[in-house]
Amino acid sequence: MPGLIDGRRPPVERTGWHTACLLLARVDGLSPAGYLRPATAAAVRALAIDLLRADDPAIEEVWAKIMESRC
């Protein structure tokens, strides 16, 4: 695949992982989103962890999973 560095996309293109980190930070970070219901926070947490375990998810994949989960 063109543009890969050591088999992965360059950091600037790793927006999938960055987005997953931001999702997780909003539920478990120092400044959690207090307006989320516990069930919604649990769904966001599960989604973020699933994405972080994925092999370098594309931002399109992240968006599709967000839309599927209806978080």
Side-chain angles (χ1 to χ4, degrees), residues 22-47:
L22 291 171
L23 289 170
L24 191 57
R26 293 307 290 152
V27 293
D28 289 332
L30 295 177
S31 180
Y35 53 84
L36 293 177
R37 294 183 179 141
T40 304
V44 171
R45 181 181 300 109
L47 173 64

